[in-house]
Amino acid sequence: MSTPMESPTVRPYRDRGGPAQPLLTVDNLVKHFPVRKGLGGKPAVVRAVDGVDFSILKGETLGIVGESGCGKSTTARLIMGLMPHDSGELLFDGERIGGRELPWRDFRAQAQMVFQDSYSSLNPRMTIEGSIAFGPQVQGVPKRQAIERARSLLARVGLEPARFAARYPHELSGGQRQRVNIARALALEPRLVVLDEAVSALDKSVEAQVLNLLMDLKQEFGLTYLFISHDLNVVRFVCDRVAVMYLGKVVEIGPADAVLANPAHPYAAALLSSMPSMDPMARTQVAPLAGDPPNPIDPPPGCRFHPRCTLAEAVCRTDVPPLAPVDPLHRVACLARQPGSGHVAAPALSVAA
Amino acid sequence: MSESVRERSPMSDTSAKDPAVAIRGLKVLFGGKVEAVDGVDLTLERGQTVALIGESGSGKSVTLRAIMRLNPERSTRITGRIVVAGQDVMALSAKALRALRGRTVAMIFQEPLLAFDPVYTVGRQITEAIRQHEAIGADAARRRALELFERVRIPSPERRLDAYPHEMSGGMRQRAMIALALACRPQVLLADEPTTALDATVQIQVLLLLRELQAEFGLSTIFVTHDLGAAVEVADRIAVMYAGRIVEEGSARDVVLDPHHPYTIGLLHSRADGALAKGSRLKTIPGSPPDLANRPPGCAFSARCFLAEERCHTETPPDVTVAPGHRAACWRTDVAQAVFAGDRAQALEATA
């Protein structure tokens, strides 16, 4: 094994568990929001994130896809500690985030986030150079050094420092602002970058530029990405693995090629075939799903997808499908794919060899 | 139910041969210096759907709003000619304009939550629109609103008529918006990014609904979007806009499969699904659109164009008819087409 010293981008003392240890492990993460239905109505609970498990390996890009209300952004915010989680465990390189070995402050120096709205995520009263240098200064980097680093990062993300460093956010276009946000996220030399719909608000041609930039930076700085998006084409392009979420749960997770080419979960399949076709000769004829994604208040019992599912049977209304492997790398929470579940379409139980 | 809605459809117009919308030499100037739209010619035939595609600032929404004269009158200078269903929109009085809006031309917006009035129920807003234009009783108007709600497939429509906009989900609000737009049986429907804010599984439902209604009511539709995929799903023709001009226009098939303008080609290439292989770099369009207050001479796209030559920077390219019903505003349409065809052959080879 090569010594980590050879790699100039990964600071060696930070890598604790070695390459096989996942960088981030999310274990049974739960977040419920109490709400009141209407004025003076009875209290209810939004099950925004309801038992989410996954891990992100070092150096990979994990995509999370799903529709609004599925809990993908809440998951990102819980990971970053922007709000406390109700229960569950978050491990960063084997250490519990917020525990004694890895207090939140130390974790945040190693994990950064880029948001969808490039404007509201920058302080309008700070120059962009000031915004980028702010984090390192909080972490104890001397001001002059922090500004110097900010300028070199601006140059790296394609914004000439002499022209842009002293500008304010409103003086930049959306694409330029998102580059600033990316530079700011990199200012602390993080290991994990959470990209929450980071390219969704950009025009297509700008989106492609920023995607290319993200891929370059990942390689150059040895980054690991959690990439949240609703655009399956983009996810297919950038992600190594994909997790599909529905109503607060992961319903399918596996290699991007497998999940996006042969989705095993009926919801993942419907999501995939909802993408507009790019062929005027082969337009979509029937919408794969009817109705809107349901409200995460009072989700249906059993499998949460059963009211919209074409494969639903009696057993789906009562049994909660576990996230079980269909092959070693690919896990699915669907009774129709799990041997012995009682679903007619379930594969036969195989005898353990 | 749908039969009775269909009966009232507006196809019995006398001038059925004129185009539904004809725009000639449209220029829109904001604040005296920003040329948001700079010479747009567009014809929308009856019963057809044209998609106006472009990035933010390309002038697609401004063009759409000009058709209903929705741009702020004080700060906007509009020149050119817009004829909608035989009426010259630029010459209409305020009263005639009010009669046109909603009755002849209706519009649906990207964000129905902002387009609806939050303090009235959705049903009331629809009946109000109907009664504004027609001498019809409250009960009859409500019956028509209910029919429309059923037609756009809003679940439990009776109850939903009495809902406030915030009580509906995003997809349902957009369906209600469509019902409102169709309430006075318009001939022309203008849709400004109607599915952009919706989730994927809902977006495709709304796109299919629009396609269905367009055929059933014989609507002529202009569909503004930045998403080529959505445009391909609904449009007969596609017009690509850049920096306030239409740079390419043709049937959806021609524009997507046989583009002749470098900008269209760039848009097609920069889509993540157009990449040859995962992890390979996307072919991007470098730079950013020009400042519309200081438009450079020549072709507005020349600074970003991979085919630009000397004269592109100095002379404005003419509209070249590259095939019947297919035009592109470029000096080098032949080269552009050859490049695209070459890339396509290469891509097919790589995947084979």
Side-chain angles (χ1 to χ4, degrees), chain A residues 20-77:
Chain A
Q21 165 114 290
L23 184 62
L24 180 77
T25 306
V26 175
D27 185 21
N28 202 15
L29 193 65
V30 174
K31 178 72 185 179
H32 293 174
F33 296 103
V35 289
R36 266 176 199 285
K37 272 184 170 173
L39 277 177
K42 60 174 195 289
V45 171
V46 177
R47 297 166 174 268
V49 173
D50 207 18
V52 163
D53 297 296
F54 61 83
S55 54
I56 309 178
L57 304 179
K58 283 173 185 161
E60 81 167 346
T61 301
L62 175 73
I64 299 186
V65 298
E67 297 178 276
S68 46
C70 74
K72 55 192 197 299
S73 288
T74 307
T75 304
R77 281 160 193 268

Side-chain angles (χ1 to χ4, degrees), chain A residues 67-68 203 209 239 284 292, chain B residues 56 169 199 201 233 235 278 285:
Chain A
E67 297 178 276
S68 46
D203 277 321
Q209 292 173 3
C239 296
T284 311
D292 290 2
Chain B
S56 30
S169 67
D199 281 316
T201 57
E233 285 291 353
K278 182 192 172 64
I285 305 173

Side-chain angles (χ1 to χ4, degrees), chain A residues 175-251:
Chain A
Q176 289 168 339
R177 275 200 299 270
Q178 205 56 303
R179 288 169 190 268
V180 172
N181 278 310
I182 291 167
R184 179 178 61 177
L186 297 180
L188 287 166
E189 297 177 29
R191 298 165 73 190
L192 174 70
V193 179
V194 176
L195 302 158
D196 187 2
E197 302 272 13
V199 296
S200 307
L202 304 176
D203 277 321
K204 281 285 167 226
S205 71
V206 180
E207 177 186 276
Q209 292 173 3
V210 174
L211 284 177
N212 277 344
L213 174 68
L214 286 171
M215 312 272 260
D216 293 347
L217 293 172
K218 181 179 176 218
Q219 205 146 54
E220 192 174 326
F221 295 93
L223 300 170
T224 301
Y225 286 154
L226 177 62
F227 190 92
I228 296 172
S229 178
H230 65 274
D231 187 338
L232 295 185
N233 289 324
V234 171
V235 167
R236 191 200 322 257
F237 178 67
V238 294
C239 296
D240 302 306
R241 286 194 307 138
V242 176
V244 182
M245 285 186 72
Y246 188 77
L247 281 189
K249 281 185 180 296
V250 174
V251 295

Side-chain angles (χ1 to χ4, degrees), chain A residues 134-149:
Chain A
F134 191 81
Q137 286 181 62
V138 169
Q139 295 277 347
V141 177
K143 185 170 181 186
R144 179 175 300 195
Q145 213 177 318
I147 295 276
E148 216 167 275
R149 189 188 292 171

Side-chain angles (χ1 to χ4, degrees), chain A residues 65-133:
Chain A
V65 298
E67 297 178 276
S68 46
C70 74
K72 55 192 197 299
S73 288
T74 307
T75 304
R77 281 160 193 268
L78 293 176
I79 291 171
M80 294 304 299
L82 298 181
M83 54 175 87
H85 51 267
D86 295 345
S87 67
E89 200 79 339
L90 291 171
L91 299 176
F92 188 77
D93 209 355
E95 288 168 335
R96 195 166 73 79
I97 301 173
R100 190 176 305 173
E101 299 87 32
L102 187 66
W104 277 107
R105 192 188 166 89
D106 290 2
F107 167 69
R108 287 195 177 116
Q110 301 183 55
Q112 287 289 305
M113 186 159 174
V114 178
F115 299 87
Q116 171 168 9
D117 186 337
S118 64
Y119 190 67
S120 65
S121 52
L122 286 170
N123 186 334
R125 299 179 58 168
M126 276 172 118
T127 61
I128 59 171
E129 172 188 76
S131 277
I132 298 171

Side-chain angles (χ1 to χ4, degrees), chain B residues 154-209:
Chain B
I154 289 178
S156 32
E158 185 97 33
R159 194 159 56 83
R160 291 294 172 189
L161 276 178
D162 297 321
Y164 289 91
H166 75 271
E167 295 174 316
M168 303 177 129
S169 67
M172 213 185 294
R173 273 200 291 269
Q174 196 57 281
R175 287 169 193 270
M177 182 95 238
I178 294 171
L180 171 60
L182 299 181
C184 296
R185 313 168 226 139
Q187 304 176 38
V188 179
L189 181 66
L190 307 178
D192 191 359
E193 307 250 11
T195 60
T196 306
L198 302 178
D199 281 316
T201 57
V202 183
Q203 160 168 313
I204 194 76
Q205 294 172 35
V206 172
L207 288 175
L208 295 185
L209 176 69

